[in-house]
Amino acid sequence: MCRATSATEADASASNHPPCTALIVTYQSARQIPRLLDALDRERRTGLDLDVLVVDNDSQDGTPDVVRGYDWVRFVPSGGNLGYAAAINIGSRLVSEDRAILVLNPDIVPLEGSLGRLLDGLAVSGVGVVAPRLETMEGQLSKSLRHEPSIGRALVDALLGDHASRLPCGASGIVWPDSAYVAARHCEWATGAALLISPNCRSAVGDWDERYFLYCEETDYLRRVRATGLHVRYEPTSVVRHVGGASGVSDGLHARGAVSMVRYYRRYHGPIPSMVFRGMIMLHQLVRWRRSESGLALRALLSRSVQATLPAPSFPSGQQESLR
């Protein structure tokens, strides 16, 4: 959807922010997390009712020690490398039902005042989730808004890649026009680096789907938000700088993303459309087969045994897997 919300919807009061808990999922994040925690400390000192909870997915790089150095931050080990959605669920269960939750990647930095403006968005009628404007660390716009995955959009993106930006809004899975990022609007979904979720939305939607180890968990969650009748709102006055890659960059993670996208589509569509969509994702990788990550993704889409080698949840010895 590429329409702006009307001005009459934006009637939030900046002086009446709801209580909020920032929920950060970390994995090997020792280098990134201090910038975020320092920024959140500055925000909470402005008078926001903001507390911070870090759920760590078995980092081995000193992340726990770094976080424990901030005595106002709650630190919770997840018990393994359980994935993004599972860690969010662990943290959410520790947060009072009357508090909004701000889900954050560890490699972002909100600009001054951004959290208050994000919280303002929850006062707009019918809004369940608010997403900020994402920028690179140099201040360049990141195209963070998305359209619902479809066979046609998957075909366009497979064949055209970034050149799909020249087509009308809605032809690609990515919302490309710069003009779409200027005004507040309802969107279908936004990348999950920073998402503010209202208490009402938390109650209505429930847990994140832990079958997604990484990638597409926010696609699924925000689809279920819309299914409840609540809106996902993009708020450009709230600006968050994003480093990217805090969870690592590898061929395996790229392939995991392709497999997750097919899994997501199959959940909500019949077998024949799902087969066609899978074919479009395979085409996307085939067009780029010279890239090692695309070659692995293509093999993973064709072979369950290759899928089994991709990054996946790891559990402590003796703990029963809870993912299906």
Side-chain angles (χ1 to χ4, degrees):
M1 182 179 295
C2 292
R3 67 172 183 85
T5 55
S6 66
T8 57
E9 290 177 292
D11 56 357
S13 170
S15 63
N16 188 29
H17 297 122
C20 177
T21 295
L23 197 169
I24 307 164
V25 177
T26 52
Y27 177 71
Q28 312 291 57
S29 307
R31 294 174 59 185
Q32 297 91 1
I33 193 68
R35 283 183 298 188
L36 173 55
L37 295 180
D38 290 342
L40 293 176
D41 191 25
R42 290 191 292 270
E43 291 292 281
R44 73 189 188 99
R45 290 176 185 275
T46 66
L48 291 178
D49 184 350
L50 174 70
D51 59 19
V52 179
L53 171 62
V54 173
V55 179
D56 183 70
N57 268 332
D58 199 29
S59 295
Q60 302 297 315
D61 67 340
T63 297
D65 292 335
V66 172
V67 175
R68 290 187 177 111
Y70 294 79
D71 58 8
W72 48 274
V73 175
R74 287 188 290 168
F75 177 82
V76 177
S78 70
N81 186 9
L82 307 187
Y84 197 63
I88 291 173
N89 288 339
I90 288 171
S92 183
R93 292 171 192 137
L94 299 174
V95 177
S96 173
E97 294 178 355
D98 63 345
R99 297 184 71 85
I101 285 183
L102 176 59
V103 176
L104 298 173
N105 279 10
D107 59 346
I108 66 162
V109 181
L111 299 192
E112 184 177 354
S114 287
L115 296 193
R117 288 187 283 273
L118 205 62
L119 287 162
D120 287 341
L122 290 184
V124 177
S125 177
V127 169
V129 175
V130 187
R133 173 186 170 97
L134 286 188
E135 295 181 349
T136 66
M137 293 305 291
E138 295 72 33
Q140 298 298 311
L141 171 68
S142 294
K143 303 298 177 68
S144 59
L145 301 184
R146 299 288 186 270
H147 296 291
E148 182 66 18
S150 71
I151 292 171
R153 288 169 181 153
L155 175 61
V156 166
D157 290 333
L159 296 178
L160 298 182
D162 292 353
H163 295 293
S165 61
R166 303 173 184 175
L167 299 180
C169 184
S172 167
I174 299 174
V175 178
W176 286 105
D178 288 351
S179 58
Y181 293 84
V182 174
R185 64 181 62 251
H186 296 333
C187 60
E188 292 184 329
W189 66 282
T191 56
L195 296 172
L196 177 65
I197 306 169
S198 74
N200 179 47
C201 184
R202 292 176 59 198
S203 175
V205 179
D207 285 348
W208 291 56
D209 191 332
E210 298 182 11
R211 288 171 292 187
Y212 301 97
F213 171 66
L214 194 63
Y215 305 120
C216 292
E217 61 276 283
E218 77 269 44
T219 319
D220 180 87
Y221 186 84
L222 296 178
R223 181 187 182 113
R224 289 189 286 131
V225 169
R226 303 195 311 272
T228 69
L230 294 170
H231 299 298
V232 180
R233 178 181 175 86
Y234 165 68
E235 180 47 68
T237 66
S238 176
V239 180
V240 169
R241 298 274 169 87
H242 187 209
V243 176
S247 299
V249 178
S250 69
D251 292 358
L253 289 176
H254 175 86
R256 172 57 63 192
V259 171
S260 293
M261 181 59 74
V262 171
R263 169 180 284 178
Y264 167 77
Y265 192 88
R266 188 169 57 227
R267 177 178 179 183
Y268 294 103
H269 300 85
I272 294 178
S274 296
M275 288 177 60
V276 176
F277 183 82
R278 176 171 170 266
M280 296 302 100
I281 301 301
M282 291 173 63
L283 176 64
H284 190 111
Q285 308 306 324
L286 184 61
V287 169
R288 298 157 181 82
W289 68 272
R290 291 182 182 274
R291 303 175 185 175
S292 60
E293 69 271 19
S294 293
L296 178 58
L298 185 59
R299 295 195 300 275
L301 291 165
L302 289 169
S303 168
R304 288 186 178 274
S305 62
V306 175
Q307 284 186 32
T309 69
L310 300 180
S314 60
F315 298 83
S317 177
Q319 179 175 317
Q320 187 72 25
E321 292 191 11
S322 63
L323 307 188
R324 300 186 299 277

